[in-house]
Amino acid sequence: MSKKQEPGAAVRATIRDVASAAKTGKTSVSRYLNGEQHLLSDSLKERIGRAISLLDYQPSQMARSLKSGQTRLIGLILADITNPYSVDVMRGVEAACRQEGLTLLVCNTNNELDQEKHYLQLLSSYRVDGIVVNAVGMREAAISTLQQANLPMVLIDRKVANFACDVIGLKNVEATQMMTDHLVQQGFEALLFVSEPATVNTRFDRLRTFLQRMQQSPQLTGEQGEIELYNTEGLDNLLRDFVARHADKHKAVMCVNGALTLQVARAMQRLNLRWGPDIGLSGFDELVWADLAGVGITTLKQPTYDMGVAALRQLVTRIQGNTEPVKDLEFSGELIARGSTAAR
């Protein structure tokens, strides 16, 4: 005995219902749904289309994925969804997914190891076709787990040692030279590069390039400071010491990313330092409020949306069987100069 339908409950149309309404067989309907319409006559295609519309038929994606071996699902793992960089990357990946007819599942790990493991297991259980990983902040243990997943994968903004994987990122050497040269040309004599711990290649490449560039100008002072993102007291002490030791010099601070630029701006306010009149300030990543903060903050804008699009498109080629050697696809950044680095 069939299960009695609850009063008022909607009855979901089946492929058999469509076939009956179109006066054809289920095979023809399946061909219509699976992109084989060239095998059907024009009149039959019209009848099937009309029946699908009339019955509001919605194909079972699970059934289709079991048959094709693909779910048309893409996973996106973000280390920190509150980071504007990650938000723009996500927008690009999602837009490219829509163009490809794919559905995006977004997982925010919040830089927590347990969440990283949980979401990876979850995406695997959903049998996603591939994963895009915005891995900055992600721990090595989680990266190791990703390696073992044997899923097509593209990394954004981070390379992992001994992990053969496509990487989408910024031309860090070019961008750092651009920003450092700007500060030097503006007449700054003492520069402080502030970074979170240089545990990922992106931060290390920017720091190394800064120090190499400063070595080319021995008459100038180039220093580095490493600080945890939310170490407020440590950051205050770092800036206070830098300003005191170079009281007679035109000083500037360069920040390794947008999240740290915000923390440095807050620290300067606590120390009654005005970026622009008192001290220069610049940072990687464009911030939506950068042109509104005081005289404006100079930034190095990354094409994050385009990087997200490129990551998804490269992933699709891997899903489709592309076996070419892995590659790094690097984008140029744009220096947006504002009052925080104006020449005296």
Side-chain angles (χ1 to χ4, degrees), residues 13 18 21 32 46-58:
V18 174
Y32 181 95
E46 183 180 352
R47 294 205 310 272
I48 293 174
R50 192 162 53 243
I52 289 174
S53 178
L54 179 65
L55 297 173
D56 192 24
Y57 172 70
Q58 302 294 326

Side-chain angles (χ1 to χ4, degrees), residues 176 179-181 183 191-195 206 210 252-256 260-261 280-284:
T176 307
M179 181 171 284
T180 309
D181 287 344
L183 295 176
L191 306 183
L192 173 65
F193 187 97
V194 182
S195 173
R206 293 173 186 174
F210 167 78
V253 177
M254 182 192 303
C255 305
V256 75
L260 194 54
T261 302
L281 174 60
S282 64
F284 284 81

